[in-house]
Amino acid sequence: MHNVAITGTGVFTPSQVITNDELVAAFNDYADLWNAENAAAIAAGEVEAKPHSSSDFIVAASGIERRYVLDKAGVLDPTRMFPKLEKRPDDAPGYMAEIGVDAAQKALAEAGVDAADVDLVICAASNMERAYPAIAVEIQQLLGAGGFAFDMNVACSSATFGIQTAADMIRAGSIRRALVINPEICSAHLEWRDRDCHFIFGDVATATLLERDEDLKGPHFKVLSTRCATQFSNNIRNNNGYLRRTQDAMEDSRDMQFMQNGRKVFKEVLPLVSAHIADHMAEENIAPQDLRRLWLHQANKTMNDYIGKKVLGRAPSPDEQPNILQDYANTSSAGSIIAFSKHSSDLAAGDKGLICSFGAGYSVGSVIVERA
Ligand code: COA
């Protein structure tokens, strides 16, 4: 068995930002238009008027202040309410591959590793731009990486599940280096017309380079242990699958986008994640005081505050548990990796930390690392 280390991470951040105020203004314009178009049915009591959204609610309920997106104009057009991305020819790089390659090149540069020396590329994300060929194989070719590549989807936990998959192959000796890449174009599956969730997601791509921990010269993080778990739930769901045509259900409908029962998710995921982390730490003989930092999934500030307190037995400081969700919103699988990438270089040799992502499935994955 070989040991594994994370030697580089990279984040691609889109150039366009939507603030809560901009988002709420567009949503309220959309609601007013919809209410005017449906005035008769609303007056007759057949449908309910759409209420306005509010920036204050969004910050209080989630901690989110803004989000990055690939296309701001389409999202903020009250007659459209979703991004507009030009269709690309089949021989041009796809959107997921393009942003994934950007993040991957940053991770490779940080580690000083050539793409040609990578022998596994995993594209791990909540949604895939197409069914096949795998996005990961396209990324492998664009990077000039060797070996093999495949896609995997474990929703918001895709990054940590990808890290465990790659780490297991490095431990077993079948590969030496792997890139786990998380291109998340969440703006394309968020329902921007639904007040209950229109503020939740943003776009980003992250990449993590894992290598055999042997003769490593630069600073890196030893992967001490990984742990994954799943438990079926319909409380976060998307029905936009390939069988829709067979069901004569190709028209735009609500269940083609992200759906959730947010309150239930809150109630059920918190104990699941807290117990998962506690079990993982106990298994590895790691006490709360041994943890220098937690890099949690970035969905909701209150959820993170709760989990951090459960894990440490006291409220963690922002330095012990940095959040990035105020700037990026929920970026699905990429969130904990953005937090790790932006808030880890200050750790001293021997410091230990825990990366944890969780979400639809339900799924939860944790990675315990040590700075070296
Ligand atoms: N603006 C103003 N008011 C709003 C609103 C908005 N955008 N959206 C909802 N409200 C109202 C609701 O109608 C409700 O009003 P009522 O009390 O009169 O019925 C009230 O605010 C509370 O709504 P609720 O949906 O219960 O809020 P919440 O406190 O549960 O927060 C979430 C909503 C989505 C932020 C929260 O449930 C959450 O983060 N859940 C987990 C999300 C998660 O991790 N998902 C995983 C995704 S991968």
Side-chain angles (χ1 to χ4, degrees):
M1 289 283 273
H2 300 280
N3 292 318
V4 184
I6 294 173
T7 55
T9 56
V11 180
F12 163 82
T13 302
S15 59
Q16 303 180 41
V17 184
I18 300 178
T19 64
N20 284 347
D21 285 348
E22 289 173 307
L23 184 74
V24 165
F27 179 89
N28 291 348
D29 287 347
Y30 156 75
D32 291 345
L33 278 174
W34 192 92
N35 291 341
E37 274 166 23
N38 293 278
I42 294 168
E46 289 158 18
V47 289
E48 278 187 27
K50 286 193 189 292
H52 277 186
S53 182
S54 118
S55 295
D56 289 346
F57 170 86
I58 294 171
V59 175
S62 70
I64 296 165
E65 294 169 19
R66 61 191 74 84
R67 70 283 298 141
Y68 293 95
V69 291
L70 292 188
D71 176 56
K72 177 173 177 171
V75 170
L76 294 186
D77 175 352
T79 64
R80 182 177 174 91
M81 302 293 280
F82 49 90
K84 185 168 178 55
L85 302 178
E86 294 304 326
K87 182 164 168 44
R88 292 179 170 179
D90 287 355
D91 57 1
Y95 285 98
M96 286 183 70
E98 182 178 282
I99 66 175
V101 162
D102 182 285
Q105 283 170 337
K106 287 172 178 152
L108 289 167
E110 187 174 278
V113 166
D114 283 340
D117 294 327
V118 170
D119 36 26
L120 168 64
V121 175
I122 299 179
C123 177
S126 284
N127 285 277
M128 295 301 160
E129 189 172 338
R130 59 171 182 268
Y132 46 82
I135 312 294
V137 180
E138 188 184 4
I139 294 175
Q140 176 196 22
Q141 190 213 32
L142 290 167
L143 285 173
F148 61 104
F150 59 88
D151 292 348
M152 60 186 280
N153 174 353
V154 202
C156 289
S157 300
S158 297
T160 48
F161 277 58
I163 287 172
Q164 165 151 321
T165 305
D168 281 347
M169 286 194 221
I170 294 171
R171 287 171 187 136
S174 56
I175 60 165
R176 288 188 75 99
R177 285 184 196 87
L179 271 167
V180 178
I181 305 175
N182 323 105
E184 293 285 9
I185 309 180
C186 300
S187 63
H189 73 99
L190 175 55
E191 182 49 87
W192 299 91
R193 295 166 294 191
D194 183 341
R195 183 180 82 134
D196 287 345
C197 68
H198 76 119
F199 52 90
I200 288 183
F201 287 116
D203 300 336
V204 81
T206 51
T208 306
L209 180 70
L210 294 117
E211 297 188 67
R212 197 182 279 184
D213 191 355
E214 207 174 71
D215 305 325
L216 289 176
K217 290 185 182 65
H220 56 272
F221 281 90
K222 292 174 185 295
V223 175
L224 299 184
S225 171
T226 57
R227 184 180 170 112
C228 297
T230 49
Q231 178 186 303
F232 188 69
S233 166
N234 273 319
N235 286 326
I236 312 171
R237 192 171 167 112
N238 181 317
N239 285 338
N240 196 16
Y242 78 105
L243 292 181
R244 290 189 80 89
R245 192 164 66 112
T246 68
Q247 296 153 357
D248 299 310
M250 294 299 281
E251 69 285 355
D252 181 23
S253 68
R254 179 67 188 85
D255 70 340
M256 290 168 82
Q257 282 72 249
F258 168 86
M259 301 181 290
Q260 81 162 349
N261 186 335
R263 282 274 154 137
K264 277 199 175 156
V265 172
F266 222 103
K267 233 176 107 193
E268 293 172 5
V269 164
L270 287 178
L272 189 73
V273 173
S274 308
H276 176 94
I277 295 176
D279 289 350
H280 192 181
M281 287 169 58
E283 203 175 73
E284 297 302 324
N285 252 330
I286 293 188
Q289 60 271 22
D290 299 333
L291 276 188
R292 173 69 184 82
R293 193 160 289 163
L294 286 166
W295 301 278
L296 297 181
H297 176 48
Q298 300 288 312
N300 182 294
K301 183 174 182 305
T302 311
M303 277 176 117
N304 284 6
D305 290 348
Y306 177 95
I307 294 167
K309 201 170 174 185
K310 273 267 175 212
V311 172
L312 298 187
R314 58 177 170 79
S317 69
D319 179 67
E320 290 171 314
Q321 186 196 290
N323 283 328
I324 54 87
L325 60 86
Q326 64 281 2
D327 299 319
Y328 281 86
N330 182 345
T331 49
S332 196
S333 69
S336 58
I337 304 300
I338 306 174
F340 177 68
S341 185
K342 290 188 182 290
H343 299 282
S344 56
S345 59
D346 60 318
L347 262 56
D351 282 348
K352 294 189 180 73
L354 183 138
I355 304 169
C356 181
S357 54
F358 46 87
Y362 296 130
S363 55
V364 49
S366 48
V367 181
I368 299 175
V369 295
E370 180 184 326
R371 183 70 166 171

